[in-house]
Amino acid sequence: MMLTDYVKQVSLEDFGWEFRHHAHWNKRLRTTGGRFFPNDGHLDFNPRHLEVYGEAVFRQIVRHELCHYHLYFQGKGYKHQDNDFKALLKQVDGIRYAPKLKESSVKYTYCCQSCGQVYPRRRRMNLQKYRCGKCQGMLSYEKNANQS
Protein backbone atom coordinates (compact mmCIF):
# COMPACT_ATOMS: atom_id res chain seq x y z
CA MET A 1 0.00 0.00 0.00
CA MET A 2 1.30 3.46 -0.85
CA LEU A 3 1.94 5.91 1.98
CA THR A 4 -0.64 8.44 0.75
CA ASP A 5 -3.28 5.70 0.55
CA TYR A 6 -2.42 4.58 4.08
CA VAL A 7 -2.73 8.14 5.41
CA LYS A 8 -6.09 8.54 3.63
CA GLN A 9 -7.31 5.30 5.21
CA VAL A 10 -6.20 6.36 8.71
CA SER A 11 -7.84 9.75 8.21
CA LEU A 12 -11.19 8.25 7.26
CA GLU A 13 -11.14 5.51 9.91
CA ASP A 14 -9.87 7.52 12.88
CA PHE A 15 -11.11 11.06 12.10
CA GLY A 16 -14.00 10.59 9.68
CA TRP A 17 -12.47 13.32 7.50
CA GLU A 18 -10.83 13.06 4.10
CA PHE A 19 -7.10 13.61 3.51
CA ARG A 20 -6.81 15.46 0.18
CA HIS A 21 -3.07 15.97 -0.21
CA HIS A 22 0.07 13.83 -0.50
CA ALA A 23 2.25 12.05 2.03
CA HIS A 24 5.95 11.42 1.43
CA TRP A 25 8.77 9.44 3.05
CA ASN A 26 11.63 11.69 4.17
CA LYS A 27 14.77 9.83 5.23
CA ARG A 28 16.46 13.08 6.27
CA LEU A 29 14.19 13.55 9.31
CA ARG A 30 16.24 12.84 12.44
CA THR A 31 14.45 14.08 15.55
CA THR A 32 10.83 13.84 14.47
CA GLY A 33 8.43 11.18 13.22
CA GLY A 34 6.67 13.45 10.75
CA ARG A 35 6.02 17.00 9.59
CA PHE A 36 3.00 18.94 8.33
CA PHE A 37 3.51 21.68 5.73
CA PRO A 38 0.71 24.28 5.91
CA ASN A 39 1.78 26.05 2.70
CA ASP A 40 0.87 23.10 0.44
CA GLY A 41 -0.76 20.63 2.86
CA HIS A 42 1.54 17.66 2.36
CA LEU A 43 2.93 15.45 5.12
CA ASP A 44 6.43 13.99 5.52
CA PHE A 45 7.15 10.86 7.55
CA ASN A 46 10.34 9.25 8.80
CA PRO A 47 10.49 5.65 7.49
CA ARG A 48 12.82 4.58 10.32
CA HIS A 49 10.01 4.92 12.88
CA LEU A 50 7.98 2.34 10.97
CA GLU A 51 11.00 0.01 10.71
CA VAL A 52 12.07 0.31 14.34
CA TYR A 53 8.77 0.64 16.25
CA GLY A 54 6.25 -1.06 13.96
CA GLU A 55 2.88 -0.17 12.52
CA ALA A 56 1.05 0.56 15.80
CA VAL A 57 3.39 3.40 16.82
CA PHE A 58 3.64 4.64 13.23
CA ARG A 59 -0.16 4.90 13.07
CA GLN A 60 -0.08 7.11 16.18
CA ILE A 61 2.52 9.33 14.48
CA VAL A 62 0.25 9.57 11.41
CA ARG A 63 -2.66 10.55 13.69
CA HIS A 64 -0.49 13.27 15.23
CA GLU A 65 0.31 14.80 11.84
CA LEU A 66 -3.31 14.45 10.71
CA CYS A 67 -4.37 16.45 13.79
CA HIS A 68 -2.18 19.32 12.54
CA TYR A 69 -3.56 18.87 9.03
CA HIS A 70 -7.29 18.75 9.82
CA LEU A 71 -7.23 21.53 12.43
CA TYR A 72 -5.30 23.84 10.09
CA PHE A 73 -7.82 23.45 7.30
CA GLN A 74 -10.73 23.90 9.74
CA GLY A 75 -9.25 27.19 10.90
CA LYS A 76 -8.70 25.97 14.47
CA GLY A 77 -5.59 25.90 16.64
CA TYR A 78 -3.27 23.37 14.97
CA LYS A 79 -0.04 24.01 16.88
CA HIS A 80 1.25 21.85 19.73
CA GLN A 81 0.37 24.34 22.45
CA ASP A 82 -3.24 24.91 21.25
CA ASN A 83 -6.09 23.35 23.21
CA ASP A 84 -7.86 22.25 20.01
CA PHE A 85 -4.79 20.25 19.04
CA LYS A 86 -4.39 18.65 22.46
CA ALA A 87 -8.07 17.67 22.64
CA LEU A 88 -8.18 16.13 19.15
CA LEU A 89 -4.91 14.27 19.71
CA LYS A 90 -6.29 12.76 22.90
CA GLN A 91 -9.60 11.90 21.21
CA VAL A 92 -7.95 9.92 18.38
CA ASP A 93 -5.23 8.37 20.62
CA GLY A 94 -2.34 10.06 18.84
CA ILE A 95 1.17 10.15 20.18
CA ARG A 96 2.38 13.48 21.61
CA TYR A 97 6.10 12.89 20.98
CA ALA A 98 7.67 10.46 18.54
CA PRO A 99 9.90 7.91 20.30
CA LYS A 100 13.61 8.55 19.99
CA LEU A 101 15.62 6.65 17.43
CA LYS A 102 18.70 5.39 19.16
CA GLU A 103 21.66 6.34 17.03
CA SER A 104 25.02 6.22 18.71
CA SER A 105 26.97 9.38 18.06
CA VAL A 106 30.19 7.86 19.45
CA LYS A 107 32.55 7.11 16.59
CA TYR A 108 35.89 7.00 18.38
CA THR A 109 36.91 5.59 21.75
CA TYR A 110 40.20 6.48 23.39
CA CYS A 111 41.70 4.94 26.51
CA CYS A 112 44.43 6.11 28.87
CA GLN A 113 47.39 3.71 28.90
CA SER A 114 48.16 4.50 32.56
CA CYS A 115 44.88 4.69 34.48
CA GLY A 116 42.44 3.14 31.98
CA GLN A 117 40.12 6.18 31.78
CA VAL A 118 37.85 5.83 28.70
CA TYR A 119 37.03 8.78 26.43
CA PRO A 120 34.18 8.29 23.91
CA ARG A 121 34.32 10.94 21.18
CA ARG A 122 32.44 11.99 18.05
CA ARG A 123 35.56 13.39 16.40
CA ARG A 124 39.11 12.12 16.08
CA MET A 125 41.79 13.39 18.44
CA ASN A 126 45.46 14.05 17.79
CA LEU A 127 47.13 11.58 20.18
CA GLN A 128 50.43 13.52 20.10
CA LYS A 129 48.67 16.68 21.27
CA TYR A 130 46.25 15.43 23.97
CA ARG A 131 46.79 13.54 27.23
CA CYS A 132 44.56 11.99 29.86
CA GLY A 133 42.75 14.63 31.92
CA LYS A 134 42.94 12.47 35.01
CA CYS A 135 46.60 11.40 35.21
CA GLN A 136 48.29 13.03 32.17
CA GLY A 137 49.03 9.57 30.74
CA MET A 138 49.29 8.73 27.04
CA LEU A 139 46.06 7.99 25.16
CA SER A 140 45.51 5.16 22.70
CA TYR A 141 42.75 4.52 20.16
CA GLU A 142 40.44 1.56 20.82
CA LYS A 143 38.53 0.07 17.92
CA ASN A 144 34.75 0.45 18.43
CA ALA A 145 32.52 -2.64 18.41
CA ASN A 146 30.34 -1.18 15.60
CA GLN A 147 33.36 -0.69 13.32
CA SER A 148 34.96 -3.56 11.45
Short mmCIF file of all heavy atoms in Angstrom, two decimals, residues 107-134:
data_model
loop_
_atom_site.label_atom_id
_atom_site.label_comp_id
_atom_site.label_asym_id
_atom_site.label_seq_id
_atom_site.Cartn_x
_atom_site.Cartn_y
_atom_site.Cartn_z
N LYS A 107 31.85 7.74 17.71
CA LYS A 107 32.55 7.11 16.59
C LYS A 107 33.94 6.65 16.99
O LYS A 107 34.48 5.72 16.40
CB LYS A 107 32.66 8.08 15.42
CG LYS A 107 31.34 8.43 14.79
CD LYS A 107 31.53 9.35 13.61
CE LYS A 107 30.19 9.71 13.00
NZ LYS A 107 30.33 10.68 11.92
N TYR A 108 34.51 7.31 17.98
CA TYR A 108 35.89 7.00 18.38
C TYR A 108 35.94 6.80 19.89
O TYR A 108 35.30 7.53 20.64
CB TYR A 108 36.83 8.15 17.99
CG TYR A 108 36.77 8.46 16.52
CD1 TYR A 108 35.98 9.48 16.04
CD2 TYR A 108 37.53 7.72 15.61
CE1 TYR A 108 35.93 9.77 14.68
CE2 TYR A 108 37.48 8.00 14.26
CZ TYR A 108 36.67 9.01 13.80
OH TYR A 108 36.62 9.28 12.46
N THR A 109 36.72 5.83 20.33
CA THR A 109 36.91 5.59 21.75
C THR A 109 38.40 5.58 22.03
O THR A 109 39.16 4.85 21.38
CB THR A 109 36.28 4.25 22.17
OG1 THR A 109 34.91 4.26 21.80
CG2 THR A 109 36.38 4.06 23.67
N TYR A 110 38.80 6.40 22.99
CA TYR A 110 40.20 6.48 23.39
C TYR A 110 40.32 6.02 24.83
O TYR A 110 39.42 6.21 25.64
CB TYR A 110 40.72 7.91 23.24
CG TYR A 110 40.67 8.40 21.82
CD1 TYR A 110 39.58 9.11 21.35
CD2 TYR A 110 41.70 8.12 20.94
CE1 TYR A 110 39.52 9.55 20.04
CE2 TYR A 110 41.64 8.55 19.62
CZ TYR A 110 40.55 9.26 19.19
OH TYR A 110 40.49 9.68 17.87
N CYS A 111 41.49 5.46 25.17
CA CYS A 111 41.70 4.94 26.51
C CYS A 111 43.07 5.39 27.00
O CYS A 111 44.06 5.38 26.24
CB CYS A 111 41.62 3.41 26.48
SG CYS A 111 41.76 2.67 28.11
N CYS A 112 43.15 5.74 28.28
CA CYS A 112 44.43 6.11 28.87
C CYS A 112 45.23 4.84 29.11
O CYS A 112 44.73 3.86 29.66
CB CYS A 112 44.21 6.85 30.18
SG CYS A 112 45.75 7.24 31.05
N GLN A 113 46.52 4.87 28.74
CA GLN A 113 47.39 3.71 28.90
C GLN A 113 47.82 3.53 30.36
O GLN A 113 48.21 2.43 30.76
CB GLN A 113 48.62 3.83 28.00
CG GLN A 113 48.26 3.79 26.54
CD GLN A 113 49.46 4.04 25.64
OE1 GLN A 113 50.56 4.37 26.11
NE2 GLN A 113 49.25 3.87 24.35
N SER A 114 47.73 4.59 31.17
CA SER A 114 48.16 4.50 32.56
C SER A 114 47.02 4.12 33.51
O SER A 114 47.11 3.13 34.23
CB SER A 114 48.75 5.85 33.02
OG SER A 114 49.85 6.19 32.22
N CYS A 115 45.95 4.92 33.49
CA CYS A 115 44.88 4.69 34.48
C CYS A 115 43.65 3.98 33.91
O CYS A 115 42.77 3.59 34.66
CB CYS A 115 44.46 6.01 35.12
SG CYS A 115 43.61 7.14 34.00
N GLY A 116 43.55 3.85 32.59
CA GLY A 116 42.44 3.14 31.98
C GLY A 116 41.18 3.98 31.76
O GLY A 116 40.14 3.44 31.39
N GLN A 117 41.27 5.29 32.00
CA GLN A 117 40.12 6.18 31.78
C GLN A 117 39.70 6.10 30.30
O GLN A 117 40.52 6.16 29.41
CB GLN A 117 40.50 7.62 32.14
CG GLN A 117 39.45 8.67 31.86
CD GLN A 117 38.28 8.59 32.81
OE1 GLN A 117 38.43 8.22 33.97
NE2 GLN A 117 37.11 8.94 32.33
N VAL A 118 38.38 5.96 30.05
CA VAL A 118 37.85 5.83 28.70
C VAL A 118 37.25 7.15 28.25
O VAL A 118 36.54 7.81 29.02
CB VAL A 118 36.79 4.71 28.63
CG1 VAL A 118 36.19 4.61 27.25
CG2 VAL A 118 37.41 3.38 29.04
N TYR A 119 37.53 7.54 27.01
CA TYR A 119 37.03 8.78 26.43
C TYR A 119 36.27 8.49 25.13
O TYR A 119 36.88 8.31 24.09
CB TYR A 119 38.18 9.74 26.13
CG TYR A 119 38.93 10.20 27.35
CD1 TYR A 119 40.08 9.54 27.78
CD2 TYR A 119 38.48 11.29 28.09
CE1 TYR A 119 40.77 9.96 28.91
CE2 TYR A 119 39.16 11.71 29.21
CZ TYR A 119 40.30 11.05 29.62
OH TYR A 119 40.97 11.46 30.73
N PRO A 120 34.93 8.42 25.17
CA PRO A 120 34.18 8.29 23.91
C PRO A 120 34.08 9.65 23.22
O PRO A 120 33.83 10.67 23.88
CB PRO A 120 32.80 7.82 24.38
CG PRO A 120 32.70 8.23 25.80
CD PRO A 120 34.09 8.35 26.34
N ARG A 121 34.30 9.68 21.92
CA ARG A 121 34.32 10.94 21.18
C ARG A 121 33.59 10.81 19.85
O ARG A 121 33.56 9.75 19.25
CB ARG A 121 35.77 11.38 20.87
CG ARG A 121 36.56 11.76 22.10
CD ARG A 121 36.08 13.11 22.63
NE ARG A 121 36.84 13.55 23.77
CZ ARG A 121 36.47 13.40 25.03
NH1 ARG A 121 35.35 12.79 25.31
NH2 ARG A 121 37.20 13.85 26.01
N ARG A 122 33.04 11.93 19.38
CA ARG A 122 32.44 11.99 18.05
C ARG A 122 33.51 12.26 16.99
O ARG A 122 33.37 11.82 15.86
CB ARG A 122 31.42 13.12 17.97
CG ARG A 122 30.18 12.88 18.75
CD ARG A 122 29.21 14.00 18.53
NE ARG A 122 28.02 13.81 19.35
CZ ARG A 122 26.95 14.54 19.26
NH1 ARG A 122 26.89 15.52 18.40
NH2 ARG A 122 25.92 14.30 20.03
N ARG A 123 34.53 13.00 17.36
CA ARG A 123 35.56 13.39 16.40
C ARG A 123 36.90 12.80 16.80
O ARG A 123 37.15 12.49 17.97
CB ARG A 123 35.66 14.92 16.35
CG ARG A 123 34.34 15.55 15.98
CD ARG A 123 34.38 17.04 16.12
NE ARG A 123 34.95 17.62 14.91
CZ ARG A 123 35.14 18.91 14.73
NH1 ARG A 123 34.82 19.76 15.68
NH2 ARG A 123 35.64 19.36 13.60
N ARG A 124 37.78 12.66 15.80
CA ARG A 124 39.11 12.12 16.08
C ARG A 124 39.94 13.11 16.89
O ARG A 124 39.73 14.32 16.83
CB ARG A 124 39.84 11.85 14.76
CG ARG A 124 39.36 10.62 14.11
CD ARG A 124 40.21 10.20 12.96
NE ARG A 124 41.07 11.22 12.41
CZ ARG A 124 41.62 11.17 11.22
NH1 ARG A 124 41.38 10.14 10.44
NH2 ARG A 124 42.40 12.13 10.79
N MET A 125 40.88 12.56 17.64
CA MET A 125 41.79 13.39 18.44
C MET A 125 43.22 13.14 17.98
O MET A 125 43.57 12.03 17.58
CB MET A 125 41.70 13.00 19.94
CG MET A 125 40.41 13.36 20.61
SD MET A 125 40.27 12.73 22.30
CE MET A 125 41.79 13.16 23.05
N ASN A 126 44.04 14.18 18.07
CA ASN A 126 45.46 14.05 17.79
C ASN A 126 46.12 13.49 19.05
O ASN A 126 46.23 14.18 20.06
CB ASN A 126 46.05 15.40 17.41
CG ASN A 126 47.51 15.33 17.06
OD1 ASN A 126 48.16 14.31 17.26
ND2 ASN A 126 48.03 16.43 16.54
N LEU A 127 46.59 12.24 18.99
CA LEU A 127 47.13 11.58 20.18
C LEU A 127 48.48 12.14 20.61
O LEU A 127 48.91 11.92 21.74
CB LEU A 127 47.22 10.07 19.95
CG LEU A 127 45.86 9.40 19.69
CD1 LEU A 127 46.04 7.91 19.45
CD2 LEU A 127 44.91 9.64 20.84
N GLN A 128 49.19 12.86 19.71
CA GLN A 128 50.43 13.52 20.10
C GLN A 128 50.15 14.81 20.88
O GLN A 128 50.98 15.26 21.66
CB GLN A 128 51.27 13.87 18.87
CG GLN A 128 52.26 12.80 18.46
CD GLN A 128 51.56 11.62 17.81
OE1 GLN A 128 50.78 11.79 16.89
NE2 GLN A 128 51.84 10.43 18.31
N LYS A 129 48.99 15.38 20.68
CA LYS A 129 48.67 16.68 21.27
C LYS A 129 47.94 16.56 22.61
O LYS A 129 48.12 17.38 23.50
CB LYS A 129 47.81 17.46 20.28
CG LYS A 129 47.51 18.88 20.66
CD LYS A 129 46.75 19.57 19.55
CE LYS A 129 46.43 21.00 19.89
NZ LYS A 129 45.67 21.67 18.86
N TYR A 130 47.09 15.52 22.78
CA TYR A 130 46.25 15.43 23.97
C TYR A 130 46.70 14.29 24.88
O TYR A 130 47.18 13.26 24.44
CB TYR A 130 44.79 15.22 23.57
CG TYR A 130 44.22 16.41 22.84
CD1 TYR A 130 44.11 16.41 21.46
CD2 TYR A 130 43.80 17.53 23.54
CE1 TYR A 130 43.60 17.51 20.79
CE2 TYR A 130 43.29 18.64 22.89
CZ TYR A 130 43.20 18.61 21.50
OH TYR A 130 42.69 19.70 20.85
N ARG A 131 46.47 14.51 26.19
CA ARG A 131 46.79 13.54 27.23
C ARG A 131 45.56 13.28 28.08
O ARG A 131 44.56 13.97 27.97
CB ARG A 131 47.90 14.09 28.15
CG ARG A 131 49.23 14.37 27.49
CD ARG A 131 50.00 13.10 27.44
NE ARG A 131 51.37 13.29 27.00
CZ ARG A 131 52.39 12.78 27.63
NH1 ARG A 131 52.22 12.11 28.74
NH2 ARG A 131 53.59 12.91 27.13
N CYS A 132 45.64 12.31 28.94
CA CYS A 132 44.56 11.99 29.86
C CYS A 132 44.33 13.16 30.82
O CYS A 132 45.29 13.70 31.39
CB CYS A 132 44.91 10.72 30.65
SG CYS A 132 43.69 10.29 31.91
N GLY A 133 43.08 13.53 31.02
CA GLY A 133 42.75 14.63 31.92
C GLY A 133 42.83 14.25 33.37
O GLY A 133 42.87 15.10 34.25
N LYS A 134 42.92 12.96 33.64
CA LYS A 134 42.94 12.47 35.01
C LYS A 134 44.37 12.33 35.54
O LYS A 134 44.68 12.77 36.64
CB LYS A 134 42.22 11.12 35.04
CG LYS A 134 41.83 10.61 36.38
CD LYS A 134 40.97 9.37 36.20
CE LYS A 134 40.60 8.77 37.52
NZ LYS A 134 39.82 7.54 37.35
#
